[in-house]
Amino acid sequence: MKMIKKTLVAAIASTFMASAAQATISDNEVRIAYLADMSGTYRDLAGPNGLTALQMAVEDFGGTVNGAKITVVSADDRNSPDVSSSTVRQWVENDGVDLVAGMVASSVTIAATKILEQSNRLGIVSGSAASSITNEHCTANHIHYVYDTYPLANGTAKAVVDEGGDDWFILTADYAFGHALEGDVTKVVEANGGKVSQAVRHPFPTDDFSSFILQAQTSGANVVALANAGSDTINAITTAGEFGLTQSGQTLAALLLFLNDVHALGVETAQGIQLTTGWYWDMDEDARAWSDRFYERTNVRPSMVQAGIYSSTMHYLNAVKEAGTDEAQAVRAQMIATPINDMFAKGGYIREDGRMIHDMYLAEVKKPAESTGEWDLYKIIRTIPGDEAYRPLSESQCKLVNN
């Protein structure tokens, strides 16, 4: 079945590429726009250093594609769907932008990809988590590259239930990403014999988690799960530590924890926390080599999102080169037809719903005695094969998938 699907995808790609064979790159310039939270809750997981990763890809590609100059612009989305919509509309209608990259908050991404679909421009989503982005909110004009809430649930939540965590209190960021993660986690917990006794939603973002952690402590649940990210997760974990949540016997499950979060918390605080990640800077030789280059420019190790921004930009530029055009559908078809084997993923591929399939990893934060340096933070417990990690197409609600 998989071979038949690949053959069909290749045939579709060939059709698009044939129609674009005589096409050229519009305005003799490939314009890439980077949209991300540059100053708020999600600044560290993508932010300015995500822009650096994108610029590294453009430089490594040579600065031009088929003789056309590659230009990069950027904007702070301020985690606002309204700001992102107006920014993307300005880019595509007035500035001739071909690709919008980055995109972190899921509500921002859903708003931005509607504009991309209307204008037939391409987007690559690297920071957002909501699995709905390639499910009910899928379009033929965006690709979801790094991770989503479905493997986060299959990884972290399943591992915690398997270890005896069968009664859950979920603290959820009250917007699209949090809702998606809460829903995916609830399904996994219940499918593995556990239950979600209570789910409470907090405003996004939130500085004071005291009342929420007190509610979690009195809930009677043996697992307190955080369906949030960025500084919200850091603040919640810090507050839980101050209130002695784990010392009282409850398990704290951070459902989306990034490398920069663990670094900010420190291994003394974060030790033993299990998490699911799509990439780790020290996972193999290729990852380490690229991460060393990134570190030289930023003085930090890259998050999985920043690594994904580099990889996806290179994949896009190679597709433009091979297709001979920057027309969105021709480039998307070429990206689908081309496997991904680089410092980010081995054997990765893009499905018809726009989901990039690659291995995910269940990791555990090292104890202080195990860590040999400032950024030596994870030990990889197991690999979750890509075809098992992500939502199967048989369950898809995407309009691009014929079920």
Side-chain angles (χ1 to χ4, degrees):
M1 180 61 73
K2 183 183 289 188
M3 183 59 67
I4 293 172
K5 285 185 177 180
K6 288 186 175 180
T7 302
L8 287 172
V9 168
I12 293 168
S14 297
T15 301
F16 275 118
M17 287 182 280
S19 66
Q22 303 304 316
T24 57
I25 293 173
S26 58
D27 303 322
N28 199 36
E29 190 170 5
V30 174
R31 298 185 178 99
I32 302 175
Y34 178 73
L35 183 68
D37 177 2
M38 303 292 271
S39 57
T41 303
Y42 297 150
R43 180 186 188 278
D44 291 339
L45 66 91
N49 286 339
L51 179 58
T52 297
L54 191 154
Q55 291 167 332
M56 286 174 65
V58 172
E59 291 168 13
D60 288 349
F61 201 81
T64 63
V65 52
N66 294 350
K69 181 182 178 182
I70 305 166
T71 60
V72 177
V73 297
S74 65
D76 187 343
D77 63 30
R78 293 185 285 174
N79 288 318
S80 166
D82 291 338
V83 169
S84 69
S85 294
S86 61
T87 300
V88 173
R89 193 175 296 280
Q90 164 74 25
W91 278 339
V92 300
E93 292 183 355
N94 299 332
D95 301 331
V97 161
D98 302 297
L99 172 72
V100 177
M103 291 189 278
V104 181
S106 296
S107 54
V108 164
T109 294
I110 291 167
T113 53
K114 289 179 181 177
I115 307 299
L116 295 174
E117 183 178 33
Q118 293 165 7
S119 56
N120 192 32
R121 302 301 169 86
L122 199 59
I124 303 178
V125 183
S126 293
S128 300
S131 59
S132 62
I133 289 169
T134 49
N135 198 32
E136 59 264 38
H137 296 298
C138 77
T139 76
N141 290 86
H142 71 269
I143 290 163
H144 202 174
Y145 204 84
V146 176
Y147 72 108
D148 65 41
T149 55
Y150 196 92
L152 296 181
N154 280 332
T156 308
K158 186 177 185 304
V160 172
V161 174
D162 288 347
E163 291 170 1
D166 58 359
D167 189 356
W168 286 56
F169 176 101
I170 304 180
L171 182 56
T172 303
D174 193 11
Y175 80 107
F177 147 64
H179 302 169
L181 184 51
E182 178 188 305
D184 286 338
V185 166
T186 298
K187 290 177 184 176
V188 169
V189 169
E190 293 177 349
N192 287 275
K195 66 176 181 178
V196 175
S197 296
Q198 195 171 356
V200 174
R201 294 178 175 177
H202 69 77
F204 166 74
T206 299
D207 292 326
D208 186 0
F209 278 87
S210 300
S211 63
F212 298 110
I213 296 302
L214 281 172
Q215 195 171 351
Q217 283 186 305
T218 59
S219 68
N222 55 23
V223 178
V224 177
L226 305 177
N228 51 21
S231 61
D232 280 345
T233 299
I234 293 173
N235 290 336
I237 291 174
T238 301
T239 304
E242 292 169 351
F243 281 61
L245 186 142
T246 57
Q247 288 89 331
S248 64
Q250 290 175 295
T251 296
L252 184 64
L255 299 171
L256 180 54
L257 196 64
F258 291 93
L259 184 75
N260 51 281
D261 300 329
V262 175
H263 183 261
L265 289 163
V267 291
E268 189 68 44
T269 299
Q271 60 180 303
I273 292 178
Q274 290 189 349
L275 59 109
T276 303
T277 185
W279 183 85
Y280 178 48
W281 74 268
D282 199 24
M283 62 191 297
D284 59 35
E285 192 172 314
D286 290 341
R288 282 190 292 275
W290 182 80
S291 297
D292 286 346
R293 293 175 53 218
F294 183 89
Y295 186 86
E296 289 174 3
R297 296 177 65 147
T298 64
N299 204 37
V300 296
R301 292 295 183 182
S303 70
M304 66 170 171
V305 172
Q306 290 154 351
I309 289 167
Y310 176 91
S311 171
S312 60
T313 303
M314 290 293 283
H315 193 59
Y316 168 79
L317 291 173
N318 276 305
V320 172
K321 178 181 178 180
E322 292 301 315
T325 178
D326 54 6
E327 194 278 322
Q329 296 308 312
V331 175
R332 185 179 188 272
Q334 181 65 52
M335 293 177 74
I336 289 175
T338 307
I340 299 158
N341 290 290
D342 61 8
M343 39 61 74
F344 180 78
K346 303 294 188 289
Y349 66 95
I350 299 169
R351 297 191 312 201
E352 54 264 46
D353 60 348
R355 176 67 260 171
M356 200 278 264
I357 304 299
H358 62 97
D359 293 347
M360 297 288 289
Y361 306 92
L362 183 65
E364 184 175 289
V365 179
K366 289 184 174 182
K367 297 175 183 177
E370 297 172 322
S371 178
T372 60
E374 180 184 5
W375 293 96
D376 181 27
L377 302 175
Y378 293 173
K379 52 185 176 184
I380 303 298
I381 298 173
R382 71 183 181 92
T383 298
I384 308 169
D387 288 335
E388 297 177 13
Y390 291 95
R391 186 192 313 277
L393 286 177
S394 61
E395 298 177 6
S396 177
Q397 301 173 43
C398 173
K399 62 190 177 185
L400 305 174
V401 177
N402 184 4
N403 279 330

